[in-house]
Amino acid sequence: MAELSRIVILTGAGVSAESGIDTFRAAGGLWEQHRVEDVATPEGFARDPDLVLGFYDMRRAALEKVKPNAAHRALAHLEREFSGELLLVTQNVDDLHERGGSTDVLHMHGELRRALCASCGVRSEPDGPLIDRPQCPACEAKALRPDVVWFGEMPYQMERIYAALTRADLFVSLGTSGAVYPAAGFVQEAKLAGAETLELNLEPSEGSHLFDESRQGPAGTLVPRWVDEVLSV
Ligand code: BJW
């Protein structure tokens, strides 16, 4: 492996699967248990806020029962030891990267542990279920929604991500199906800018053919191995 100075890593639900968090599109995954239009769109929230708040309250509570796995810990180790620039972008709304030791994580689809006030736009960390309609700590409106990005909404910090992609010499995609844009298009952005591209996923994803290299297997095995390769150069 050539010496690297700027790496962008994109993670998806597969990175947290071995911690016991359901992925979205697998058989028995979240989108088989719930209709995506009902729980992950602004229109679904407007139609039935209790259903949506209950869905995210349940997933936030479930976070207390799971732990980071070897893939999260390996990425935190990479953050500590890599001497170049590293941007860790996750589509995941869980906090397992942080609990695994990563300190700079860009949550492009938001975070389960945070709420967004639909009235004043302030973000906060609620200490109880949103279905109980707690007040916004800033404006006191009872208008808190999960601080997550639904279909049709703009993912967070896209400028920072695209800036890093255009400077990267390696883009790595971990545990994501490549079914959701704009994240699914990052591989092409990185390639256009001249980066090498690598996919680590349990199985070939929808976009596997777009990567220079694609390795298949569980993240808990593949990610620590890849991190060792990077740090040994
Ligand atoms: C393992 C493993 C193990 C398992 N080890 N691997 C038509 C064409 C193109 C685009 C569109 C279109 N119509 C609409 C759009 C846009 C739309 C979109 O992409 N739709 C597609 C369905 C086509 N996108 C949007 O609306 C986005 N906004 C947007 O585009 O704004 C405009 C814009 C324009 C220009 C620039 C920028 C923006 C918003 C998307 C929001 C997605 N939100 C969700 C919910 C978040 C909250 C929540 O968690 O509930 O995000 S949906 C869901 O999918 C979630 C995930 O982050 C996201 C991706 O899923 P992920 O992580 O890939 O999970 P899975 O389950 O799909 O895959 C898991 C993978 O892991 C699998 O491959 C397994 O094999 C693997 N795996 N175990 C390693 N142990």
Side-chain angles (χ1 to χ4, degrees):
M1 186 186 291
E3 199 171 333
L4 299 165
S5 51
R6 285 182 282 266
I7 305 177
V8 177
I9 298 171
L10 171 71
T11 67
V15 163
S16 296
E18 288 156 78
S19 293
I21 299 185
D22 284 341
T23 63
F24 294 92
R25 295 170 181 81
L30 282 172
W31 293 163
E32 264 193 10
Q33 301 164 41
H34 307 270
R35 288 183 65 224
V36 59
E37 302 82 359
D38 290 340
V39 295
T41 62
E43 296 77 14
F45 182 53
R47 243 186 343 262
D48 191 346
D50 278 2
L51 174 79
V52 177
L53 295 175
F55 173 69
Y56 285 97
D57 282 343
M58 178 196 72
R59 289 175 57 199
R60 190 178 326 102
L63 283 186
E64 284 168 25
K65 301 187 191 89
V66 298
K67 292 194 180 107
N69 64 51
H72 300 105
R73 290 193 297 273
L75 293 173
H77 177 60
L78 182 65
E79 183 194 86
R80 283 191 299 273
E81 300 297 327
F82 183 60
S83 56
E85 277 175 34
L86 180 72
L87 179 63
L88 176 58
V89 180
T90 187
Q91 298 169 88
N92 299 341
V93 296
D94 65 54
D95 57 358
L96 292 181
H97 282 305
E98 287 87 348
R99 283 158 57 194
S102 290
T103 60
D104 187 10
V105 185
L106 193 163
H107 284 270
M108 65 177 290
H109 290 165
E111 294 176 69
L112 268 180
R113 64 183 176 185
R114 300 205 315 186
L116 172 68
C117 178
S119 181
C120 72
V122 164
R123 294 190 164 82
S124 56
E125 291 203 6
D127 46 20
L130 292 182
I131 202 165
D132 293 342
R133 304 296 198 282
Q135 287 185 322
C136 167
C139 74
E140 300 190 347
K142 293 188 172 188
L144 298 185
R145 56 163 276 185
D147 186 17
V148 300
V149 178
W150 288 320
F151 284 106
E153 297 183 322
M154 184 64 86
Y156 295 149
Q157 298 194 53
M158 292 307 299
E159 277 180 25
R160 184 175 168 208
I161 298 172
Y162 284 125
L165 288 171
T166 56
R167 290 160 46 81
D169 39 34
L170 178 66
F171 170 72
V172 189
S173 172
L174 310 177
T176 175
S177 59
V180 175
Y181 288 85
F186 290 172
V187 57
Q188 284 149 311
E189 293 286 336
K191 255 180 134 167
L192 272 176
E196 291 288 310
T197 56
L198 169 67
E199 173 183 71
L200 308 179
N201 203 52
L202 191 62
E203 61 205 354
S205 72
E206 290 189 21
S208 283
H209 61 283
L210 299 169
F211 289 83
D212 297 314
E213 186 185 349
S214 180
R215 301 181 191 170
Q216 272 91 55
T221 306
L222 291 189
V223 177
R225 200 178 289 160
W226 170 72
V227 166
D228 284 348
E229 277 173 36
V230 173
L231 294 178
S232 67
V233 175

